Amino acid sequence: MRIHVVDHPLVAHKLTTLRDKRTDSPTFRRLADELVTLLAYEGTRDVRIEPVDVETPVTPTTGVRLSHPRPLVVPILRAGLGMLDGMMRLLPTAEVGFLGMVRDEQTLTASTYSTRMPSDLSGRQVYVVDPMLATGGTLVAAIKELMSRGADDVTALCLLAAPEGVKVMERELAGAPVRVVTSSLDEGLNEHGYIVPGLGDAGDRMYGAAG
């Protein structure tokens, strides 16, 4: 497993405002959307392309287009929905799958309650979006689900990551074709499994604390 921390002043600027507890939900959603697009730019650096002939107003030339099968973007519900538009802005022709997962706040283990994805992901590049790589349990479970459907090229885009979660992914997904792209590798987790300094519960900050 590879991890790439995007080092860019605009990424750091937007992340700082996301961390601020005074940032309201509408601003948080907008900045998260903008930040995801910046992460997606790095995360799609290896997206598969093929040559295509086009004719400019001046002369014929050869360019590139995304290869088939088209990439699949999979937000992990619910917080991952806040990252979907930022990804689709950069990959408008991608298809979208959905993966509903919930973490038990006592055991910190993740379980799946809903899936909406193709049964066969062979040969497709998959981009998983989830704001936080904390304990790693949710992303590991999500990626194993994708791999069980044949996915062999998975990139996870996360606003933040914790070293503990990275270690879990390295252990549980050893040898798997997985890459993580994030805006920051933070200090670690607190006793409640939250990233420190982090930005709190991303889902609640995007959408409120409705149960």
Side-chain angles (χ1 to χ4, degrees):
M1 193 199 78
R2 298 172 293 157
I3 182 164
H4 176 59
V5 180
V6 178
D7 182 16
H8 192 286
L10 287 179
V11 169
H13 167 72
K14 295 179 189 299
L15 178 58
T16 298
T17 307
L18 285 178
R19 292 191 193 275
D20 193 334
K21 67 180 182 181
R22 298 171 296 179
T23 300
D24 59 24
S25 289
T27 304
F28 191 97
R29 288 194 299 270
R30 176 177 59 81
L31 287 173
D33 178 76
E34 294 172 359
L35 182 53
V36 171
T37 300
L38 295 174
L39 295 180
Y41 181 80
E42 291 294 333
T44 56
R45 187 171 293 276
D46 296 326
V47 69
R48 295 170 187 160
I49 55 175
E50 60 188 20
V52 59
D53 294 327
V54 296
E55 189 166 339
T56 78
V58 180
T59 184
T61 188
T62 300
V64 299
R65 64 185 175 192
L66 295 184
S67 300
H68 281 78
R70 289 181 289 172
L72 180 72
V73 178
V74 180
I76 298 180
L77 306 180
R78 71 176 167 149
L81 282 177
M83 301 174 66
L84 180 58
D85 285 348
M87 278 295 298
M88 298 307 291
R89 186 174 298 113
L90 209 63
L91 283 175
T93 61
E95 294 185 345
V96 179
F98 295 95
L99 186 55
M101 306 194 76
V102 62
R103 187 178 76 162
D104 187 299
E105 295 303 326
Q106 301 300 318
T107 65
L108 303 182
T109 58
S111 59
T112 301
Y113 65 85
S114 178
T115 58
R116 182 73 174 180
M117 293 184 295
S119 58
D120 184 5
L121 297 177
S122 302
R124 300 189 71 165
Q125 289 180 292
V126 183
Y127 297 90
V128 183
V129 290
D130 192 26
M132 317 296 279
L133 170 51
T135 63
T138 299
L139 265 182
V140 165
I143 291 171
K144 285 185 175 180
E145 172 66 27
L146 295 170
M147 293 175 65
S148 73
R149 296 170 183 244
D152 59 3
D153 188 333
V154 180
T155 299
L157 287 90
C158 306
L159 301 182
L160 294 179
E164 294 91 332
V166 172
K167 290 179 181 177
V168 168
M169 290 189 68
E170 289 174 338
R171 183 183 70 241
E172 297 293 326
L173 300 171
V178 176
R179 183 166 66 125
V180 174
V181 178
T182 184
S183 59
S184 177
L185 184 60
D186 275 13
E187 297 172 12
L189 302 177
N190 64 15
E191 64 274 16
H192 303 295
Y194 281 89
I195 298 177
V196 178
L199 47 75
D201 187 301
D204 286 353
R205 295 198 64 191
M206 285 180 185
Y207 304 117

